[in-house]
Amino acid sequence: MDTRDLKRLLSGMSLREKIGQMIQLTGMYFDEEAVLTGTVGEVKPEEWVIRYAGSVLGMDGADKIRAVQEKYMEEHPHHIPLLFMADIIHGYKTIAPIPLGQACSFHPELVHEAAEYAAAEASSEGIKATFSPMVDVSKDPRWGRIMESFGEDPFLNGVMGIAMLEGYQGYGSIGGARIAGCLKHFAGYGAVNAGKEYNDVELSRRTFMEQYMKPFRMAVYADPAMVMTAFHAVDRTPVSKNRELLEEILRGELGFGGTIISDWGAIGQLEEQQVASGQKEAACAAAEAGVDIDMMSPAYMSHLEELVEEGRILESAIDRSVWRILQMKNRLGLFEDPFAGMKRSVCLSPAAKRGALRLACESCVLVKNEGILPLDPGQKVFWAGPYIDSREFLSRWAIFGEHADVETIETVLKGRKIPVKLIPGCEILSEEEMRIWCAGDGKPVEEGIQGDRKDVDWQKQYAGVEEIREDDTVVLVLGEHEAQSGEAASRAFLDLPERQAELFDMVARRTSHIVTVMISGRPLDLRRIAERSEAILLAWRPGTMGAQAIVRLIYGEESPSGKLAAGIPWCTGQIPVSYWDMTTGHRMSEADPGNRFCSRYMDIPNTPLYPFGFGLSYTEFEITPPQMRKEGAGEEERICVSCRVKNTGDSSGAEVVQCYVETICAPVVRPAKELIRFRKVFLEPGREREIEFAIERKEFVFYGEDMEPIDGGIPLRITVGNSSYNAAGSVDFTVGGSV
Ligand code: NOJ
C-alpha cells in the first residue's frame, strides 16, 4: 500500500481500532492450541479487544492461521490483517544450534543463513515476525537465557545480532518469505542480578551505555522492525516506562524508527514493581514512554481508551504508535496479501538441514584434547550416556521444533556401520530432578521424549559399564536436560545432573580414556569432568542435526573450529567472570603468586577454566604479531591492523583470528580489553593468509569522567591472537595522534 493510502486508512480508524493495533494477545484467544510462552494471569480481554487486537503470538499451523486471519479480517471494520508473531529463536522446524552455540562458530554468514531458513519456514506457515535476535551480553551462566544470547562479548553480540536480523528481514527489505525481527531485551537484561530470571539489574551507567548497549547500537543499523523492552529497571526506572531510554536514546540517539513492543506482561508488571499505582497508571506511563505494543498485559486494553478520553494521552501519540505498526505490516506485504509467504517453502528441506549441520559442526568447541581425538572409525569404542539414544538436542526455545525430526547418535553410528558398543547408562534427569525442572509434563522422561526407552532395565544398562576395561576408549555424551535452560531456568548449581555424574564416576573408575561430549544450554561447572577426561567437546544444544555433527567431529570428518562465546568458569563461585572485566588495582602478579593482598580468591585461580575465544582444532595455526598503519585523518582516521595466519599442522581446519583493544591509560577505569574484530579463516595444511582489520576511529570512543565521549589522544594497545588470553603480539598507538 502506498503511504497516502496508509495514512488515509489510519485517519479513518476509530479510537478502539487504533488501540487494538497496540494490543498483542496470545493465540489462545483465537485457538485453544496456541503455544503459551508466559502466564496469562489477569488478562481477560473484552470482546472488542479480541476483534481489534493487531497481533497474535504463539499460534502455529498454516491452516489454522489462515482460518483465523480470514475470520478476523472479515469482521474488522477496515479489514486490517493480523500480524502473527512467535519466538522463532533458533529455527522453526529445522532447528539450528542455540544462539550461544551459533556465536561459538564465529561465522556470521552461517548465522545469517540459518535465520533465512527459519524465516522461510515460519513465513510459509503464516508467522511473519519473530522475537529474535536477543543481543543481551551475559557473563552469568546461572541465567538460563544465556543460551539465547551470543555470549559475554558486546561486539560478538552485535555482529551476530546483525547477521541474524538480516537473515530474517532480508537486508531491511522485508517482503515475501521474509519476517520481521525484534532486537531484545532492550537493554541490559543479560546483567540480571545473580543470574536469577526476572530479577532487577544494577549496572553503572558507563558499563550500561558502553558494553550492554553496544550490540543494540550496532544492530539498530540493520533496521530491525521491532525492539522489545526488557522486564527490569535501568537505574531503577523499568524500561517499559523509561522515557529517557526509549525516547531520547533509542529513538533519538540511535535513530530507531520501528515498533517498540513490551515483553510479555511488562507493562502490567509496572504495578508489581511498585512504580505504578495500578494498571491505568502503568498504561499511562508506558504510552508516554512510547511503547507501541502491549504484549499480554491488561494495561492498554483496559485503560488506554479512558486515558485518551481524559486527555492524559493525546490521540496524536496513539496515532504515532499505530502508524509504526501499520508501516510494519505494510513492509511485510500484508495489505496486498495477508497470507504473504505462506506455503512458499517446505520445512526441513535438505538445504536447510545441510546449513543446520554445518552450523552445528562449527558451533562445537573442543576445549581439551590430549591427543585422543579424532577417533579412528575402525577402533573399538564405547559410546555411553543418556544422550546417545536421545532425540533431545533441541531446546525449550525450539517451540515448533519436533523431536521426531532429530536423529539419535545411535542411529547415526549404526548408519555408518561404525563398530561401537552403546551404553545409555542412565536417564538425563532423576525423578526428583524431573520434578524440580517441571520436565516432561510431569511424566517420567521415558514416556515423554525418550519413549523408546520406557522398559529399560537400568541394572542391565549399568551392567554394560562393567565391560569397559582400562585401555578402552569411552565417548560419554552427557549434559543438561532441555528444561534446564531457556526462559525461567536459572540455576544456582551448574553441575551435571546427579545420575550422569554417577555414571561419569563409574566410567572414570574403569578407564582414563574418556572423551566427554557435553550437551548444554550454558557453560557448566566442568572442572572435575575436565580433570578426568582426555578430551572435551562442548556441543551446546546442537539442534536437528546435532547427532551427525557430533559423530563427524569425533571421527575427524570435520575439524572443530568453534571458539567459546562465553568462558567456562573455574567454578560457580567465580561467576560472573569475563575476559573484559574491569582493570583493578591490587593486581595479581605471576612474579609473586604467594601475595595474598591482591584481587583474587584464595582458593581458585582468577582466570576462567577456559576463556572467551578459546577453542582447539585438529590442526595447528600460527599467527604473526600485528603490523599497523593509519589511514585518513581527523574524523576519517582508520587503524589498519594486519597479520598472517598459517595452518602449520597436517590437516585442514579453521582458525578465528581475534583482535582486541585496551586502553593503556585513561581518565576512568576501563575493561581489561575488548574484542573489536575477528575473522574466521579456513586453511589447507601449509597454506597461509594475510588478514587485515580496518577499524574506524569512532570505534575507540569511550565515556570520560563526566560521561563525555573521548575520541582520541588516549594510548591504546591492540593485540591479535587466537583467544582472549593468548596473544600473538601487540601494537601500541594513539588515535588522533601519530603512530
Ligand atoms: C518473555 C520473554 O522474555 C521474551 O523474550 C519472549 O519473546 C516473550 N516472552 C514472548 O514469548
Side-chain angles (χ1 to χ4, degrees), residues 24 36-38 57 86-87 89 130-132 134 145 148 182 184-185 189 197-198 228-229 231 262-264 295 397 399 487:
Q24 176 160 108
L36 272 184
T37 52
L57 86 153
D87 291 278
I89 306 297
T130 175
F131 305 119
S132 168
M134 175 177 126
R145 304 200 74 170
E148 200 183 339
C182 175
K184 70 183 189 187
H185 304 87
Y189 191 35
E197 187 74 298
Y198 312 129
M228 184 186 288
T229 61
F231 289 121
S262 79
D263 201 342
W264 180 300
M295 180 200 292
W397 268 136
I399 57 176
E487 187 177 350

Side-chain angles (χ1 to χ4, degrees), residues 134-151:
M134 175 177 126
V135 291
D136 292 323
V137 170
S138 177
K139 343 167 155 184
D140 196 331
R142 290 171 298 180
W143 190 43
R145 304 200 74 170
I146 195 169
M147 58 83 82
E148 200 183 339
S149 92
F150 299 113

Side-chain angles (χ1 to χ4, degrees), residues 149-272:
S149 92
F150 299 113
E152 74 183 52
D153 182 74
F155 180 73
L156 186 60
N157 267 280
V159 171
M160 293 304 185
I162 292 171
M164 204 176 247
L165 204 52
E166 291 183 339
Y168 294 137
Q169 298 196 164
Y171 301 105
S173 56
I174 318 168
R178 302 303 187 188
I179 61 176
C182 175
L183 277 188
K184 70 183 189 187
H185 304 87
F186 190 75
Y189 191 35
V192 65
N193 293 339
K196 189 172 72 175
E197 187 74 298
Y198 312 129
N199 210 356
D200 204 44
V201 167
E202 280 289 327
L203 276 178
S204 78
R205 182 163 178 81
R206 198 177 305 275
T207 305
F208 173 77
M209 291 298 285
E210 269 181 30
Q211 282 72 38
Y212 287 83
M213 282 286 286
K214 181 171 187 160
F216 287 94
R217 276 183 212 285
M218 289 170 68
V220 158
Y221 283 102
D223 197 15
M226 291 183 286
V227 167
M228 184 186 288
T229 61
F231 289 121
H232 66 274
V234 169
D235 200 11
R236 311 273 182 95
T237 303
V239 181
S240 298
K241 62 163 283 202
N242 197 321
R243 288 183 66 146
E244 187 205 357
L245 208 55
L246 300 182
E247 281 296 329
E248 286 169 37
I249 299 180
L250 179 61
R251 292 219 185 273
E253 252 178 61
L254 273 61
F256 174 65
T259 303
I260 299 181
I261 184 168
S262 79
D263 201 342
W264 180 300
I267 299 179
Q269 187 194 263
L270 296 172
E271 185 181 355
E272 209 182 351

Side-chain angles (χ1 to χ4, degrees), residues 500-528:
Q500 298 187 54
E502 279 165 25
L503 176 67
F504 182 89
D505 287 345
M506 220 181 277
V507 173
R509 279 197 292 271
R510 305 196 65 81
T511 178
S512 56
H513 307 304
I514 297 178
V515 173
T516 303
V517 178
M518 198 56 80
I519 310 295
S520 72
R522 52 157 65 76
L524 293 174
D525 189 341
L526 287 180
R527 197 175 73 265
R528 302 239 172 266

